[in-house]
Amino acid sequence: GDIYLSSTANMLLNLISAPGGIVTLVAGSGSIADGNASAINISANMADLSSYSGIGSGDPLETQVTYLKAVNGMGGGIAIDNAGALITHDDAEISTGGDISLVAHSPLTIGALGVVSTSNGNITLTAGASGAGATGDILTINGPVTTSGSIVLNAGNSIVGTNVPTGANVTQNANLNPPAGGGGAAVPTVPTVDQCVANPALSGCTTVLPTLA
């Protein structure tokens, strides 16, 4: 079944397990924090997390869920490290005033309402690299990724979707898995035209921008 827990204080998580269900946590005046080092904190079909001062801020929550909702009201950030594929739910944006880090092992899909740092924190989205020859480590972005801080997109394979951000503050690191056989290096990432126009000295821009005689 589902689990609902609410507190006006900080929540320090060990393991909360709701197989096939929804874990809803509300820390109305505090944070939701990792209390068991690198072990799983939440195991469920969906985690619906709401806090005032951080969700995994400074020490990511380890989750094993398919769907994620996460909203943090004030200071602190959101940091999630998920075992398996992760999808941010289409009916709620991932939102906080601080930094956001979402890592899936893997793939990672950003839903229609996207990811927003309202106070211009840094956003990192990672579809973790599984290793040589893996093909499913895809970062799909179907909603807006919004901040004036830095945006870093990492994927073991491709970065795709209807709302992949571009601009001088965006760094894309795709194809981080080495080829099958383990003998080769990962395919280098080519920067976007927007990144190279903003910073022509960026590594790889000589292959993107034309040479002017």
Side-chain angles (χ1 to χ4, degrees):
D2 298 339
I3 294 174
Y4 178 93
L5 297 172
S6 178
S7 174
T8 57
N10 297 329
M11 288 184 169
L12 189 63
L13 304 186
N14 287 307
L15 171 63
I16 300 175
S17 181
I22 301 171
V23 171
T24 301
L25 304 179
V26 180
S29 300
S31 65
I32 302 173
D34 181 8
N36 63 357
S38 60
I40 295 292
N41 299 116
I42 301 171
S43 179
N45 183 54
M46 183 167 76
D48 186 350
L49 311 176
S50 177
S51 72
Y52 180 80
S53 56
I55 298 171
S57 186
D59 183 5
L61 297 185
E62 286 82 25
T63 59
Q64 193 167 32
V65 302
T66 302
Y67 296 99
L68 175 69
K69 299 181 183 181
V71 176
N72 180 61
M74 293 294 290
I78 295 173
I80 301 292
D81 191 338
N82 192 71
L86 181 64
I87 302 168
T88 68
H89 207 283
D90 277 339
D91 67 3
E93 68 185 12
I94 306 296
S95 176
T96 184
D99 295 342
I100 298 173
S101 174
L102 303 180
V103 179
H105 305 277
S106 193
L108 174 61
T109 300
I110 304 301
L113 294 187
V115 179
V116 178
S117 176
T118 57
S119 295
N120 303 317
N122 301 319
I123 297 175
T124 302
L125 306 175
T126 301
S130 299
T135 59
D137 301 332
I138 298 169
L139 174 58
T140 303
I141 303 175
N142 292 328
V145 179
T146 306
T147 184
S148 63
S150 68
I151 297 172
V152 178
L153 310 176
N154 303 311
N157 297 117
S158 56
I159 300 171
V160 299
T162 59
N163 241 313
V164 177
T166 60
N169 65 328
V170 179
T171 300
Q172 294 189 24
N173 302 307
N175 301 310
L176 296 176
N177 286 321
V187 178
T189 300
V190 177
T192 66
V193 171
D194 286 341
Q195 289 174 314
C196 291
V197 169
N199 182 10
L202 192 65
S203 176
C205 284
T206 54
T207 64
V208 175
L209 296 177
T211 301
L212 300 178

